[in-house]
Amino acid sequence: MSASDQNALKRLAAIYAVQFIKPGMTVGLGTGSTAVHAVHEIARLHTAGQLPNIQAFATSSEIARIAASVGLPLINAEGPQTIDVTIDGADEVDPQLNLIKGGGGALLHEKIVAQATQREIIVVDASKMSSCLGTLHQLPVEVIPFGRGGQRTFLETLGGKPILRVGAGGIPFVTDEGNYIYDCAFGPIRDVEELAAELRSRSGIVENGLFLGMTHDLIIGTVNGIRHLQRNPITGGITEISVEV
Ligand code: 5RP
């Protein structure tokens, strides 16, 4: 599939998700090429008077800049106490709607926003679907600069192959919080809860890209139209909502 066809599927999913945002809501804005389609659609409806009194909270400085440029009212870094709906992307999605995120480097802010959100809507094209996380994408792990060499060794002991993320000009990529990212190839991760717990327990690792049990809705743009899956937050059961195409 060409990049422009894939982008069309990302846009399809993002535009569909925006219908769940209502006037007066506090909205989380995800980061990445899929989530940015939602930002433009929210701004279009807001400008047209169809989404009055909304406030947006951006998951990255990049998305805050884009949202401001299209006239969305933004909440400052202190953030809201709760967020009604967030629309965000993902790098890999498993059948339980667990995710790998952080390809855009915004995993820490994205997880903070997801945890404050009542309805976390993930928008992807069909290429992101996977039977086991780690198969398609490396796991981003955000570390503070101090002692990062030791984190590399720690990640290796967990079975990962950490590579320090490099940005423009060949210098290390720096997150919005001034940290570094190790992209770790793990291969298929058989026990995502166990790996997440190991990573959480390590000082100096501030966040990892495993988003477990946080997705309420998954919207998939496919060549046949939209698939909409919903996860019951209590039972973890997944239902598919039929969508007219
Ligand atoms: C940023 C993310 C993105 O949501 C993820 O990388 C997907 O990006 P894209 O929509 O461009 O494929 O987690 O940190």
Side-chain angles (χ1 to χ4, degrees), residues 10 30-35 88-91 100-107 110 123 125 128 137:
K10 292 179 177 194
T31 294
S33 60
T34 316
D88 203 348
D91 299 302
I100 287 182
K101 284 184 53 54
L107 62 158
E110 288 172 331
V123 287
D125 68 89
K128 307 287 182 68
H137 207 273

Side-chain angles (χ1 to χ4, degrees), residues 135-242:
T135 310
L136 302 180
H137 207 273
Q138 297 148 337
L139 181 67
V141 176
E142 181 165 344
V143 301
I144 67 166
F146 179 81
R148 64 184 181 277
Q151 308 303 1
R152 171 191 281 271
T153 309
F154 173 72
L155 293 165
E156 284 168 352
T157 66
L158 297 179
K161 295 190 177 61
I163 306 278
L164 188 68
R165 190 178 294 187
V166 172
I171 54 170
F173 174 87
V174 177
T175 70
D176 279 344
E177 295 295 337
N179 297 317
Y180 294 111
I181 290 180
Y182 280 115
D183 288 304
C184 301
F186 276 98
I189 303 167
R190 298 291 164 207
D191 191 336
V192 285
E193 296 284 356
E194 186 185 24
L195 179 58
E198 295 269 19
L199 293 167
R200 270 196 305 269
S201 71
R202 177 80 177 185
S203 293
I205 291 182
V206 289
E207 201 43 87
N208 70 82
L210 289 169
F211 283 52
L212 309 180
M214 292 181 178
T215 307
H216 295 91
D217 297 76
L218 174 70
I219 317 288
I220 312 168
T222 82
V223 287
N224 299 315
I226 292 287
R227 284 186 70 203
H228 181 175
L229 304 180
Q230 237 172 11
R231 182 180 171 278
N232 181 318
I234 314 239
T235 65
I238 313 288
T239 39
E240 178 142 8
I241 297 168
S242 69

